[in-house]
Amino acid sequence: MVKFIKYIILFSIFFLQVFYWSAKGSCKEEKNQKLIVSFMEIKSTNTGWGLAVIIQTPGGRTYLYDTGPGQYPNESFDTGRDMIAPFLKKNNIKIIDGVVITHAHKDHFGGFKYLMDNFDIKRLYDAGYSGCKNCEPEYDNLYKPEYISKGGKYQLVKQGDTLNWDKDLEVVMLSPPPTYLNNDENEANTNSMVVRIKYNKITILLTSDITIAGQEYLLKKFSATDLKADVMSAPHHGNDSYLPFAEVVKPEIVIASSLNGADEPALVAQKIYSKVGAKVYATCWNGTVQIVSDGVVCSVITERNK
Ligand SMILES: [Zn+2]
């Protein structure tokens, strides 16, 4: 009988341990339930422009929405090497689950080369728009073919496509349309990929470099409900901030990715978006700006105050 009790006790300890470890395991999985969107400071002194956004999903994946400048002649700054890689290392991130290149301009794809050479990038996304008069050819002729030739997966994203980034996020591409917008003189910018990220009650709208023509298209194509966002990036580094679009999106927080010593686009964003009650942050004033959300509320972390 004593022996029997001993077995019952040993058996109970075993099951308690299994329960403990499985409970511990599930706790681990639920630890990171935050969406973190980081608008990196661009420290280049001679490009004039730049955008690189790191998106860390609640489930622990990492995506990039553009990679900033990096390959200009006489350029000592590379957003991939000098900003994104240190950020990933600091956060112990070894794999980049996906990179969106919103349009073929160097201030958006320049950092991709360093990242492609030094990180495991699971997927490259773009809208397939190429060869326009103001597209910069290095992306379509060099970077993208090199990435694919090394075995990288490429995905052409079409308007309305949902990107399967995280079970808790709805990520949709709103623009450009399948036939692209061809009647604007700045076609590459106008056809930038506009991506909307929803995490429960919080919506973030990433607008890259869409021009006023691009924003007018979105206003015609989508309802105000479709475009409403809590957080948005200022169109074209802030330079193409457009009041009718601002009035429909009606964000609480706006981030302009404008360069130090060249904050004119940020000033345009502040002028327009303050009219709709938004608080405007800019990478030239605040350094890297992070949005952290649990899906219900979001907070802003800045490297420095204006
Ligand atoms: Zn740009």
Side-chain angles (χ1 to χ4, degrees), residues 49-51 103 105 107-108 189 208-209 236-237:
W49 309 90
L51 178 70
H103 64 297
H105 275 171
D107 62 319
H108 296 255
N189 286 346
S208 189
D209 280 1
H236 197 197
H237 313 274

Side-chain angles (χ1 to χ4, degrees), residues 68-128:
Q71 299 293 318
Y72 279 81
N74 308 318
E75 174 65 77
S76 58
F77 174 82
D78 183 317
T79 312
R81 182 192 64 208
D82 301 331
M83 297 302 295
I84 297 171
F87 180 97
L88 298 178
K89 277 177 192 149
K90 193 176 158 199
N91 288 281
N92 202 24
I93 297 166
K94 295 182 178 71
I95 293 167
I96 300 170
D97 293 282
V99 174
V100 176
I101 297 296
T102 64
H103 64 297
H105 275 171
K106 281 182 194 166
D107 62 319
H108 296 255
F109 69 74
F112 183 63
K113 168 76 175 149
Y114 179 86
L115 297 170
M116 169 170 62
D117 291 344
N118 291 280
F119 284 85
D120 181 7
I121 298 176
K122 295 289 182 199
R123 196 170 288 249
L124 171 67
Y125 305 90
D126 68 30

Side-chain angles (χ1 to χ4, degrees), residues 32 156 170 177 189 191 231:
N32 176 18
L156 168 67
E170 182 204 88
N189 286 346
N191 288 295
V231 178

Side-chain angles (χ1 to χ4, degrees), residues 250-271:
K250 225 179 171 324
E252 284 178 37
I253 295 162
V254 172
I255 302 101
S257 184
S258 302
L259 269 59
N260 300 336
D263 67 351
E264 295 84 0
L267 290 167
V268 177
Q270 190 170 54
K271 188 177 163 207

